[in-house]
Amino acid sequence: MSDDLVGWLVDLDKLRRMTQRYARAVDARDIDAVAALFHPDGVVDGARGSAPVPAYIDGMRNAPRIFESGMHVLGDPLIDLEPGADHARMDTYAVVYQFRPPGSTEADLVLGIRYLDDLVRHGDHWLIHHRQAINLWTRQGLPQL
Amino acid sequence: MSDDLVGWLVDLDKLRRMTQRYARAVDARDIDAVAALFHPDGVVDGARGSAPVPAYIDGMRNAPRIFESGMHVLGDPLIDLEPGADHARMDTYAVVYQFRPPGSTEADLVLGIRYLDDLVRHGDHWLIHHRQAINLWTRQGLPQL
Amino acid sequence: MSDDLVGWLVDLDKLRRMTQRYARAVDARDIDAVAALFHPDGVVDGARGSAPVPAYIDGMRNAPRIFESGMHVLGDPLIDLEPGADHARMDTYAVVYQFRPPGSTEADLVLGIRYLDDLVRHGDHWLIHHRQAINLWTRQGLPQL
C-alpha cells in the first residue's frame, strides 16, 4: 500500500510541475515546450473556441505579437487522481499579466483564468488531453510609473 | 519510519488541497462545500469579529449579495505538522478579487488576506477548528476596459 | 527505491516551504529569519547588483524604510532535484505588493519578480547558495478606496 501511495505522491508532483512548466513555456514564447505538455490527439477550448491540439499550437506559432511580454501566475492546482489511475483532472487558478510594448497608448491587460484540464498518463509522464480555459475576468493593467 | 513519512506526505497533500477547495467553494457560493471544511465546534475570527462556525456559515448564507463574482487566489500554504500528529497549522496568503455587477458605479475591490488556520484530524480528513482571517490591505480593483 | 523516492518527496516539501518562509520573513522584516534561508558563502544578484550574502543581509538591516508594509505573494516553485542529490534549483514567480505609509502622495508599487535559486543541502535542511532575483515588471499599485 505504501508503494502505491509513494507512486501517487510522485504523480501529484509531476502534475503540479506541469502548471509551472506551462507558465514558463508560454511566457518565454517557447511553443515547443508548450506543445510538449499536450497530447497530440487532445483538444483545447479557449476564448477563441475549440481547437485540436495541433491547430491550437499552430495558432500560437502564427499569432501576431500584440503584447511585449507576459507573466502567467498560476496557483497550486487542485488535483483529482486516484492512486494508480492513468487519468487525472486539474483545476488551476491563474492571474495573467499582459504588457504592451513601450510607448503603446493601449492599456496593459490583467486576466483571471481558470484552467480545467483532463490529463492522461503517457509513459513516465502526463499529457493534457483536454483543456478548458475559462476567462473569468479581464481588466486594464496597472499604470506605469 | 518510511511509512510514517508517507502518511505525513499524504497529510500535507490533504491540507494543501483544503486551501484550493476553499477557494473554489467560496467563489461558487457553494456554502455547503465551505461548511464541509470547518469543524462544527470551531471558531472563525474575521473582519466582522469572532463567530462560532455555525454562525459564520449562516452569515455567509444570509449575506446580501454585494459582489457579482469573486476570485480567491490562494497561494501555497505554509504547513506545520509533525508526522502522525492530529493537529496542524496552516498559514496561507491570498489575493481576493471582488467584482461589482455590470453597470455599477462602485469600484471593484482587491484584498490581501492572510489565513491562519488550526486544523484537527477528523477520520481520514482534516477540518479547520480555528481560522483567523487577517485583512492585510484593501484597494480598488483594476479599471474595466 | 521507494525509500529514495520518499526522501526525495520530503526534500521537495522542504524546498517548497522555503519560498513561503522567505515571504513571511521578508514581509515581517524579520531579517534573521531571512538570513537563515541563505548560505553564508552565497551570493544574491538583484536589482541593486550582485552581493555576497552577508552584505545582502546587512543591506536589508540598514535599508531606509520606504514602504509601510509589503506582501510577497510567491507561487509554487518549479523545483529541479534529482533523488538523493545535494544540489537543487528552484524557479519561483512572485507578485510583490509594496505599500506607502498613510498620507503618502507617492503611489504604492506592484512588482513581478522571478527568483532563480541554486540551493545546497545543509544537514537536514537546504540553503540558498545563489539567488538571481529578476524584476520582470514594475507598476503603480492599486488606488486606495
Side-chain angles (χ1 to χ4, degrees), chain C residues 3-127:
Chain C
D3 273 357
D4 284 359
L5 282 178
V6 173
W8 178 70
L9 290 163
V10 170
D11 275 328
L12 291 180
D13 187 70
K14 287 180 182 175
L15 291 163
R16 183 172 286 122
R17 279 181 68 80
M18 290 183 71
T19 61
Q20 298 301 326
R21 287 174 57 203
Y22 172 77
R24 303 306 181 282
V26 73
D27 289 343
R29 299 173 194 272
D30 182 345
I31 311 300
D32 290 340
V34 175
L37 299 169
F38 287 86
H39 194 289
D41 296 339
V43 170
V44 176
D45 296 331
R48 283 162 290 185
S50 182
V53 161
Y56 162 74
I57 296 295
D58 283 351
M60 293 186 77
R61 284 195 207 281
N62 301 319
R65 185 160 171 168
I66 297 170
F67 295 100
E68 172 82 1
S69 61
M71 189 182 190
H72 285 65
V73 181
L74 271 70
D76 198 29
L78 186 60
I79 305 173
D80 284 320
L81 172 69
E82 297 293 319
D86 295 323
H87 178 267
R89 299 208 71 191
M90 287 209 295
D91 174 347
T92 310
Y93 272 10
V95 177
V96 177
Y97 299 85
Q98 298 277 28
F99 299 101
R100 305 278 181 186
S104 172
T105 57
E106 291 184 282
D108 296 334
L109 293 186
V110 183
L111 301 91
I113 295 181
R114 184 176 183 181
Y115 297 105
L116 298 177
D117 295 327
D118 290 308
L119 300 108
V120 290
R121 189 188 298 277
H122 190 82
D124 65 353
H125 60 290
W126 291 84
L127 294 174

Side-chain angles (χ1 to χ4, degrees), chain A residues 2-3 5-7 9-10 13 16-21 23-24 27-28 69-77 97 99-100 108 142-145, chain C residues 2 5-6 8-9 12 16 75-81 91-95 97 107-110 112-114 136-143:
Chain A
S2 182
D3 273 357
L5 281 177
V6 173
L9 290 164
V10 171
D13 187 70
R16 183 172 286 123
R17 280 180 68 79
M18 290 183 72
T19 61
Q20 298 301 325
R21 287 174 57 202
R24 302 307 182 280
D27 289 343
S69 61
M71 189 182 190
H72 285 65
V73 182
L74 271 71
D76 198 31
Y97 299 85
F99 298 101
R100 304 279 180 186
D108 295 333
L142 293 160
Q144 296 191 24
L145 294 179
Chain C
S2 181
L5 282 178
V6 173
W8 178 70
L9 290 163
L12 291 180
R16 183 172 286 122
D76 198 29
L78 186 60
I79 305 173
D80 284 320
L81 172 69
D91 174 347
T92 310
Y93 272 10
V95 177
Y97 299 85
D108 296 334
L109 293 186
V110 183
I113 295 181
R114 184 176 183 181
L136 300 174
W137 51 272
T138 305
R139 289 294 184 276
Q140 291 184 34
L142 293 159

